[in-house]
Amino acid sequence: MEIGSGELPYGEVKAIPAALSDRLQDFFAKDLLLPEKPDIQSFSTPRRVVVFIKRLPLRTLDRETEIIGPPLSISYQGDMPALPLIQFMKKNGILNHKKLYVINQKRGPYVAYKKIIKGGLLKDLLSENIPNIIKNLPFKKSMFWLNKDVRYPRPVLWILSLFDGKPLRFYYGDVKAADYTYLIRKGSYKTSYTKVNNSKDYFKLLSSSGIILENERRRLFIEKELRSIAEKLKLDIAEYEDDFMDEIVGLTETPHAIAGNFDKKFLAIPEELLSIVMRKHQRFFPLKNKDGLVKNEANLASSFIGISNIPAWQINKNKEEIERDIRSGYSKVLGARLADADFFYKEDIKHPLSYFTEKTKNILFYEGLGTYADKTERIKKLGLFIAKKYNFTGQDALQFNRAANLLKFDLATHVVYEFPEMQGIAGKIYAKKAKEEEAVCLAIEEHYYPLVKAKKRILPSNDLSALCSLSDKFDTIFSFVMLKRLPTGESDPFYLRRAAIGIIEIILEKKYIIRMEEVFDFYFDNFFKERKLNLNELKASFINFTNTRFKNFLISLPSGYKPDVIASVVREDGACDFYTSYLKIDFISKHKLHEELYELSQAYKRINNITLNYGNILDFDIGKLTLPDEIHLYKTFEAVQRDTVSFLKKNDYYKVMNHFYTLVKPINDFFDGVLVLTDDAAVRNSRLGLLNNILNLLKNLCDFSSLSY
């Protein structure tokens, strides 16, 4: 089956084939109960989505299915069916209630019926069900026509469908599936169809037209063409992201690489701006001079490669003329765009940085949160607090004071307005021209990090950049916490999850000890004071939000931290910092099966079971602890508590574990020789208080009750 349509967005080109395969496989397995799993291959280009299915039977076998009816308690009046059962029988075509039987479910006894579903011709079942399968695909965005039952990312123009070498007829909207396809755009597509006799005929037709169905094969073909042209020109391909190549692959079905040139005067434009204009706006691959052959400051060459959709019949007809026309068109449109970029850049550098920082007072950050100038002031104050509280150097604090003022100025520039991808990058370039310190210039760009560059995850390169990034991301998250706009479903329009993950990555990479609740308290003590806010509620939502991101981040790491280990360390009140939590989780993951941790967990659970309803009792009178086993436990606890303070500060959890382990035998002896819940309230409370203090001490490593063994 081939679904032909208008040009699909490249994201759908990548996603639809797998989704269609999955839905068809579910249909064959769950709805038709086919005994053998069919072989499904799926392909896509911007104009067509294709599935090729082998090992399908001509007809399905009779099958038996069990249908669950209403609860037994409401199904009968005496020996006769009650109304709920009558409706069930009518719905399923059951004529004789004596064919019903009772089965036990978790919720109690229910009436059930075994229904025989007759087998049928597979072609009829496919014709009946394929329209619904197409309609229910998980498109990112859909277009509707005729009615709401007909949806697809772009208008469906034709459907080719063959079963066992013959046309498989069905309608999707007003399009009737038939035995023809459209290979080329020559005149009206209505008059240029090609009849298809069978699958071999189909794949041969596509291949001869230069259409490459498989995404990976298109990618490899494009990469080969890029290398070939670059070698002929004695140039290199400039680095690009995987997403960029994915987009090019998703925009072509008959790819053909063509090299072009632009006026060398544009090489005076900063390299980053040149590259963004070519890649993001024209989807061209920039070329650069080979190492050691630097011709300009940026090292980019005045050449590029574009990937065009040119069918084989056009190439074979007059390749040189077609390539010349396309090259000329590419160069003209790129030249016009570069002229714009050159103009905006030259206009920007006429002004001092203060001109742009002043203009940020007129750029709204978000309604209710002020302008970017307001955001800058919050970032500055918050960053200085973090620097002082968490032991950044005086030099970092001094440079941050300057960098914070400049983090957002480039949002007011012409270049960033026209090319949003340049934010941060333009700021760094203009700050360098203004003779700002190198570290300050770098921080302006890197405060948007982490991000992916050249297939690598890049984090801020130094403490100043990291401090700028953290302060900006904290302010963004806190601002939307205040507005109660934290994401709850899949939608995250303000990229708050990305900001939280960025904070976590920076903290772990730089080994910062930063307590989330302390930063929260400072922020809301200093900003938006005039608003009547329920800070306890807001803090709980913030801690839950960041803890969830932290847990998901750890689970996704290659080291594969287990949910029970993560849950044993990450506290709901956010009292522990992420870096310390990470060290504990890593340690416990590596030592969970060691005898010491296992026995500690058993001792912990033993205490927890008896103190569960008495957790508020923390005070105890040592004079009331008179039995040898409880005196020994107290003295051991006192020594362990004293000795582990320094180990906890140094994050030396191996020594912490060994010291905690010395409590195991005294705890077990205590339970074997002492009655905790005695009738004497003073003695009972002292024993419970001691046990609760031991629990709290052990929690400095983890909540052992969360560990599963």
Side-chain angles (χ1 to χ4, degrees):
M1 178 175 70
E2 175 192 74
I3 305 170
S5 68
E7 297 261 350
L8 293 169
Y10 77 91
E12 300 286 15
V13 174
K14 192 174 182 181
I16 291 176
L20 183 54
S21 291
D22 290 344
R23 295 298 166 96
L24 285 166
Q25 203 66 267
D26 282 348
F27 171 67
F28 294 137
K30 296 176 182 177
D31 295 358
L32 302 186
L33 302 176
L34 296 186
E36 185 181 5
K37 190 176 181 179
D39 175 19
I40 302 179
Q41 299 174 49
S42 56
F43 317 97
S44 60
T45 76
R47 296 188 72 212
R48 63 195 82 233
V49 173
V50 178
V51 288
F52 178 42
I53 309 173
K54 295 183 283 188
R55 294 204 307 268
L56 282 174
L58 291 176
R59 63 177 301 121
T60 60
L61 302 174
D62 294 350
R63 62 190 190 279
E64 185 179 79
T65 185
E66 186 173 63
I67 305 172
I68 309 298
L72 180 62
S73 59
I74 61 170
S75 293
Y76 290 95
Q77 289 180 338
D79 293 334
M80 299 304 294
L83 182 60
L85 188 59
I86 292 171
Q87 291 174 336
F88 171 71
M89 293 172 63
K90 185 176 181 182
K91 178 182 176 182
N92 291 282
I94 304 168
L95 301 177
N96 186 353
H97 72 88
K98 292 183 179 179
K99 292 186 177 181
L100 302 172
Y101 56 93
V102 177
I103 61 167
N104 288 315
Q105 301 281 77
K106 286 183 179 179
R107 293 168 293 175
Y110 277 70
V111 174
Y113 174 69
K114 282 188 178 175
K115 185 175 183 179
I116 305 297
I117 299 176
K118 291 287 186 183
L121 293 173
L122 194 68
K123 68 181 183 66
D124 295 337
L125 295 169
L126 287 170
S127 294
E128 181 183 344
N129 288 279
I130 281 178
N132 271 333
I133 290 172
I134 297 172
K135 183 189 77 172
N136 291 316
L137 289 172
F139 307 124
K140 293 177 182 178
K141 288 185 179 180
S142 298
M143 297 179 70
F144 297 91
W145 61 98
L146 298 179
N147 57 61
K148 290 287 183 180
D149 289 332
V150 183
R151 55 185 290 270
Y152 205 69
R154 292 292 183 270
V156 175
L157 302 178
W158 77 88
I159 297 176
L160 162 69
S161 183
L162 297 174
F163 181 81
D164 197 30
K166 297 176 183 176
L168 181 71
R169 307 290 187 186
F170 61 86
Y171 276 92
Y172 191 62
D174 59 345
V175 178
K176 183 180 180 182
D179 57 350
Y180 53 80
T181 185
Y182 295 90
L183 300 174
I184 57 175
R185 303 177 193 182
K186 188 177 180 181
S188 169
Y189 85 91
K190 290 285 187 185
T191 62
S192 57
Y193 66 88
T194 302
K195 185 174 173 61
V196 179
N197 299 311
N198 51 54
S199 58
K200 286 184 179 179
D201 184 29
Y202 173 78
F203 289 114
K204 186 177 178 181
L205 283 168
L206 261 63
S207 179
S208 64
S209 298
I211 297 170
I212 305 174
L213 271 181
E214 300 94 326
N215 280 320
E216 189 55 32
R217 273 193 60 212
R218 279 207 305 285
R219 175 188 290 271
L220 294 173
F221 179 83
I222 291 169
E223 289 174 345
K224 183 180 177 182
E225 291 239 306
L226 289 172
R227 287 193 300 270
S228 175
I229 291 177
E231 286 172 8
K232 288 178 183 176
L233 297 174
K234 296 182 180 179
L235 297 170
D236 286 333
I237 307 293
E239 288 180 337
Y240 57 82
E241 311 298 339
D242 283 345
D243 287 349
F244 178 58
M245 180 58 82
D246 287 343
E247 184 176 5
I248 300 300
V249 169
L251 290 170
T252 57
E253 70 170 12
T254 55
H256 187 76
I258 296 176
N261 299 291
F262 58 86
D263 196 318
K264 289 184 179 181
K265 71 180 182 181
F266 293 127
L267 291 174
I269 299 173
E271 175 184 1
E272 297 91 342
L273 182 54
L274 264 178
S275 183
I276 281 173
V277 171
M278 283 189 270
R279 287 187 293 106
K280 298 288 185 181
H281 294 266
Q282 304 306 139
R283 298 186 177 91
F284 296 154
F285 289 87
L287 294 171
K288 64 179 183 178
N289 298 297
K290 288 185 176 292
D291 293 341
L293 298 173
V294 179
K295 301 298 182 184
N296 64 297
E297 185 181 347
N299 198 33
L300 287 180
S302 58
S303 301
F304 63 88
I305 300 175
I307 307 298
S308 182
N309 260 316
I310 309 177
W313 69 271
Q314 284 185 314
I315 289 291
N316 295 334
K317 184 178 179 182
N318 196 337
K319 180 179 178 180
E320 290 185 5
E321 182 181 340
I322 289 169
E323 286 189 351
R324 184 177 64 249
D325 289 345
I326 292 174
R327 183 181 297 110
S328 174
Y330 280 172
S331 297
K332 283 180 182 177
V333 73
L334 178 59
R337 199 65 174 136
L338 288 177
D340 289 342
D342 186 49
F343 172 78
F344 295 134
Y345 172 65
K346 287 176 179 175
E347 282 296 304
D348 284 342
I349 60 177
K350 292 177 182 178
H351 302 286
L353 302 188
S354 57
Y355 170 82
F356 298 111
T357 56
E358 186 66 23
K359 288 184 73 174
T360 60
K361 293 179 179 178
N362 301 318
I363 303 176
L364 184 68
F365 170 49
Y366 191 77
E367 188 173 352
L369 300 176
T371 65
Y372 271 97
D374 298 322
K375 180 176 174 64
T376 295
E377 287 303 309
R378 295 196 300 269
I379 290 171
K380 187 174 178 180
K381 198 168 183 178
L382 181 60
L384 290 174
F385 164 77
I386 293 172
K388 183 178 179 181
K389 180 77 175 178
Y390 300 114
N391 302 318
F392 283 76
T393 67
Q395 177 71 6
D396 286 332
L398 190 65
Q399 289 180 320
F400 175 80
N401 204 34
R402 177 57 181 164
N405 290 324
L406 299 176
L407 292 181
K408 302 298 180 184
F409 86 85
D410 64 355
L411 298 178
T413 64
H414 288 295
V415 161
V416 171
Y417 183 81
E418 292 294 329
F419 307 100
E421 303 88 351
M422 283 293 291
Q423 64 182 8
I425 301 169
K428 179 187 74 173
I429 293 168
Y430 294 163
K432 278 186 176 181
K433 280 196 166 290
K435 308 297 184 187
E436 294 288 339
E437 289 185 66
E438 181 65 29
V440 170
C441 299
L442 193 61
I444 295 169
E445 178 183 13
E446 292 189 349
H447 90 280
Y448 287 105
Y449 290 11
L451 49 77
V452 175
K453 273 190 175 182
K455 306 176 186 178
K456 293 180 181 178
R457 188 77 170 159
I458 307 296
L459 275 76
S461 59
N462 57 60
D463 287 336
L464 174 61
S465 294
L467 181 59
C468 292
S469 181
L470 288 173
S471 304
D472 180 38
K473 290 172 174 58
F474 271 125
D475 175 72
T476 299
I477 294 173
F478 287 146
S479 296
F480 287 101
V481 165
M482 184 197 66
L483 296 180
K484 298 184 179 180
R485 298 293 298 274
L486 288 178
T488 53
E490 288 186 10
S491 177
D492 186 9
F494 312 113
Y495 302 104
L496 301 182
R497 291 190 181 99
R498 182 191 297 176
I501 291 294
I503 289 171
I504 291 163
E505 286 184 290
I506 292 169
I507 285 174
L508 297 189
E509 169 76 15
K510 304 294 184 184
K511 303 180 181 179
Y512 293 151
I513 307 291
I514 299 177
R515 294 183 178 276
M516 296 295 105
E517 80 281 5
E518 290 179 347
V519 181
F520 178 95
D521 290 341
F522 172 84
Y523 189 87
F524 283 95
D525 282 345
N526 286 273
F527 308 118
F528 308 115
K529 275 187 177 180
E530 71 282 2
R531 309 192 190 197
K532 295 179 180 179
L533 302 170
N534 184 335
L535 292 184
N536 289 332
E537 178 188 330
L538 294 181
K539 185 190 285 191
S541 69
F542 166 69
I543 295 298
N544 178 63
F545 174 71
T546 51
N547 277 354
T548 301
R549 306 284 80 70
F550 184 52
K551 292 173 185 177
N552 293 342
F553 175 76
L554 292 177
I555 289 171
S556 69
L557 291 176
S559 30
Y561 296 112
K562 302 298 182 186
D564 67 312
V565 176
I566 297 170
S568 75
V569 173
V570 179
R571 293 175 55 170
E572 292 183 4
D573 61 3
C576 199
D577 65 275
F578 287 139
Y579 180 63
T580 302
S581 295
Y582 166 73
L583 292 178
K584 290 178 181 179
I585 290 165
D586 186 63
F587 175 82
I588 294 164
S589 295
K590 292 172 180 174
H591 295 84
K592 181 183 173 184
L593 299 180
H594 287 206
E595 178 184 2
E596 291 91 339
L597 276 186
Y598 174 74
E599 292 195 20
L600 271 169
S601 73
Q602 301 309 302
Y604 183 101
K605 290 172 184 176
R606 201 170 182 184
I607 297 175
N608 199 46
N609 288 338
I610 203 163
T611 62
L612 194 59
N613 297 320
Y614 306 97
N616 60 328
I617 301 174
L618 294 172
D619 296 327
F620 61 93
D621 182 354
I622 186 60
K624 298 295 183 183
L625 305 176
T626 58
L627 298 178
D629 288 331
E630 58 190 352
I631 292 172
H632 179 52
L633 177 58
Y634 167 71
K635 288 183 176 179
T636 308
F637 159 69
E638 194 177 39
V640 171
Q641 187 178 43
R642 180 185 63 249
D643 294 342
T644 54
V645 170
S646 63
F647 302 140
L648 286 167
K649 285 182 178 178
K650 296 174 184 175
N651 297 321
D652 189 346
Y653 298 116
Y654 192 81
K655 287 184 179 177
V656 171
M657 177 185 71
N658 287 335
H659 273 68
F660 281 178
Y661 183 66
T662 62
L663 283 164
V664 171
K665 188 176 186 306
I667 290 171
N668 290 331
D669 290 344
F670 174 85
F671 280 111
D672 292 342
V674 178
L675 177 63
V676 178
L677 301 179
T678 181
D679 292 335
D680 188 326
V683 174
R684 180 176 67 244
N685 288 343
S686 287
R687 289 170 180 170
L688 288 168
L690 172 61
L691 292 175
N692 280 324
N693 275 273
I694 293 172
L695 278 187
N696 288 337
L697 175 64
L698 295 177
K699 283 178 182 176
N700 281 295
L701 184 56
C702 71
D703 179 353
F704 288 91
S705 63
S706 297
L707 297 178
S708 58
Y709 283 97

